[in-house]
Amino acid sequence: RRAGDIAGGLGSLSKTLRLMLQSAVLGVGAWLVIEQQATGGIMIASSIMVGRALAPVDLAIASWKPFLMARQSWKRLQDLFGKIPPVPETMALPAPRRDLRVENVTIVPPGEKRPTVAAVGFQIQAGSALGIIGPSGSGKSTLSRALVGAWSAAGGKVRLDGASLGQWNREALGRHIGYLPQGVELFDGTIAENIARFEEDADSEAIVAAARTAGAHDLILRFEEGYKTRIGESGSSLSAGQRQRIGLARALYGDPFLVVLDEPNANLDAEGEAAVVRAIASVRERNGIVVVVAHRPSAIGVVDQVLMMEGGRQKAFGPRDAVLGQVLKPAHAGRNGFAATGHGIMPLRVVANPAKSEKHSEPEKTDGDT
């Protein structure tokens, strides 16, 4: 604001002086013409030359504020880059093949001060699938972001084959991880570019293979331009279900070792859910690891391990049948009973005296319950 005030004042002063000088030149030129010491052309030419000579002064004054703003912006950028630690050099590590280990992980979301996930630890072997269940707000999506390295753990470690995620080169690590977030984010480009993660010289066969595994190949071919169809910013030209299928194909591109799917069937119909189940099975068959965050029992049916989250903490972990047998209890078994319904795994209604009414010992029926 101060620079703007100074530039405005100097600009007005410069314009006033320029007009006064040009008027004086015209006046002197007119007097010389009258005295027949000069011609009219010299008078006009002199006025133009004075205006041209003073133009750089006006331009410098008008550019003073943008110059100061650019200098201040450059200084702020230097301060910001000075606060960002340099990226450490890392050794190239072999592709992960054995396991995923989570060691007492605590996660504080960016911008927050309190952890939303605390003291979570488990180990998954290659060829296994883990289902993460729990009520809304229990920290399932937060944990999934930490598993893929999108958020750093405030405490504890996430390890692939014994190496923490910080020991990996970020670009190399990305090739071994596939991630389908709860809100699918696509980018302005073609379907093929989004599936290939905008990789230069992407392999067409790998793109098609990922789409087939995700059950999206036939869906893509229905578009007039197929894989070359441009989807617009954030996939605006696609429906929610189509974005979900293409996002799943992107997560499976390149056969990553670890695939994390956060609510993969949230916007899918029965055909799409079946495709998700087949995709999970295909990752297990090639000896990869799948982590599925789910509310619907259909996705849990193909996993062999289950992690139960509650209040940001690990409540139960182990083989699927053992954990589900522990948490899926009748309502009168206690306050922490859960019911598997068509709408997901949800807490049952608490009944103080179940013997008082027989109907209170059963979960409330809703549309879609089986």
Side-chain angles (χ1 to χ4, degrees), residues 142-184:
T142 300
L143 178 59
S144 70
R145 294 186 181 102
L147 293 180
V148 300
W151 287 359
S152 299
K157 297 291 184 181
V158 178
R159 299 182 183 272
L160 290 175
D161 284 8
S164 65
L165 298 186
Q167 297 177 16
W168 289 84
N169 175 274
R170 301 297 292 178
E171 185 175 352
L173 178 63
R175 299 190 184 100
H176 305 307
I177 292 179
Y179 180 43
L180 177 65
Q182 189 170 355
V184 181

Side-chain angles (χ1 to χ4, degrees), residues 356-367:
K356 190 171 181 179
S357 175
E358 182 179 352
K359 66 179 180 180
H360 286 236
S361 64
E362 296 295 329
E364 283 189 26
K365 295 292 183 180
T366 58
D367 292 341

Side-chain angles (χ1 to χ4, degrees), residues 325-368:
Q326 177 183 347
V327 299
L328 299 181
K329 296 178 181 179
H332 58 77
R335 300 189 334 181
N336 295 324
F338 278 76
T341 73
H343 301 289
I345 298 175
M346 58 184 66
L348 297 178
R349 185 158 46 93
V350 178
V351 180
N353 185 7
K356 190 171 181 179
S357 175
E358 182 179 352
K359 66 179 180 180
H360 286 236
S361 64
E362 296 295 329
E364 283 189 26
K365 295 292 183 180
T366 58
D367 292 341

Side-chain angles (χ1 to χ4, degrees), residues 191-244:
I191 292 177
E193 288 173 337
N194 275 272
I195 293 177
R197 310 177 186 185
F198 288 84
E199 184 180 88
E200 294 183 1
D201 301 324
D203 185 2
S204 299
E205 293 183 1
I207 295 174
V208 174
R212 287 185 184 277
T213 304
H217 178 67
D218 294 336
L219 179 150
I220 295 171
L221 293 182
R222 294 192 192 107
F223 291 103
E224 185 175 351
E225 298 183 39
Y227 284 86
K228 295 299 182 181
T229 302
R230 299 196 67 87
I231 61 176
E233 189 67 36
S234 300
S236 57
S237 63
L238 304 176
S239 67
Q242 290 171 335
R243 288 195 296 269
Q244 195 94 1

Side-chain angles (χ1 to χ4, degrees), residues 6 65-66 82 102 104 130 138 176 189 196 214 240 269 289-290 334 348 356:
I6 294 174
K65 180 180 178 181
V102 177
N104 200 33
L130 170 68
S138 59
H176 305 307
D269 53 14
I289 293 176
V290 186
L348 297 178
K356 190 171 181 179

